[in-house]
Amino acid sequence: MDAWRELLSPTRIEKAEQLQAERVRRNQQVQLVDCLQLSDKGQLFAKSDELRKLFWNRSRNEIRRIVKELESLRNNLAHSQPYTQENWNAILRLAGSLDGFLSNQTEYVATDSLQPYESDEIR
């Protein structure tokens, strides 16, 4: 079930376990994989032939480059920084990839992740 563990360093797994423990302390039940950083998840895709073929048919180097672009976009969004050309490239790549992710078998997509928010849930 957690075969991905062998693809990450013990330090990165320990960080995820610490975050999971903190979330459990706050009465949030999450799987360990949900506590990984974006860069960790990018490493999993880059290192796993199975994941790359199943979800994102790209080379290891291309995935690493795209994940760096996404991290930059995430950081700029989180810190209210202006967008760069690199950010727009990441936005275009991400939008183009969503079709592929959403067309995957439902066993790989949480069913509630595809449901629209109810207007009273957004506050």
Side-chain angles (χ1 to χ4, degrees):
M1 176 128 173
D2 288 343
W4 55 266
R5 284 175 173 255
E6 66 190 43
L7 300 174
L8 294 178
S9 72
T11 304
R12 297 309 308 154
I13 293 171
E14 183 180 338
K15 290 282 189 186
E17 288 171 340
Q18 290 170 358
L19 179 57
Q20 184 183 37
E22 175 60 22
R23 288 182 172 174
V24 167
R25 187 185 71 76
R26 294 180 183 183
N27 294 322
Q28 300 172 354
Q29 299 302 316
V30 294
Q31 294 181 18
L32 185 59
V33 73
D34 296 325
C35 298
L36 296 174
Q37 298 288 320
L38 177 60
S39 60
D40 296 332
K41 291 177 181 179
Q43 280 187 43
L44 292 177
F45 273 97
K47 290 180 178 180
S48 170
D49 293 333
E50 182 181 346
L51 286 175
R52 282 197 324 276
K53 288 176 185 171
L54 185 61
F55 292 107
W56 214 6
N57 195 18
R58 305 281 190 273
S59 72
R60 287 184 171 139
N61 289 333
E62 190 173 6
I63 288 174
R64 287 183 180 113
R65 183 177 48 76
I66 291 169
V67 169
K68 282 186 181 191
E69 288 178 357
L70 290 173
E71 287 176 322
S72 176
L73 173 62
R74 180 255 171 234
N75 291 339
N76 284 346
L77 288 170
H79 302 291
S80 300
Q81 300 297 310
Y83 299 129
T84 65
Q85 180 61 42
E86 178 183 299
N87 293 149
W88 287 113
N89 290 341
I91 290 168
L92 291 173
R93 276 191 226 292
L94 184 58
S97 295
L98 283 177
D99 253 359
F101 284 119
L102 294 176
S103 67
N104 280 321
Q105 299 171 357
T106 56
E107 67 192 74
Y108 299 112
V109 179
T111 54
D112 62 349
S113 68
L114 301 177
Q115 301 301 317
Y117 288 104
E118 296 295 327
S119 58
D120 60 343
E121 290 181 16
I122 302 174
R123 293 185 183 174

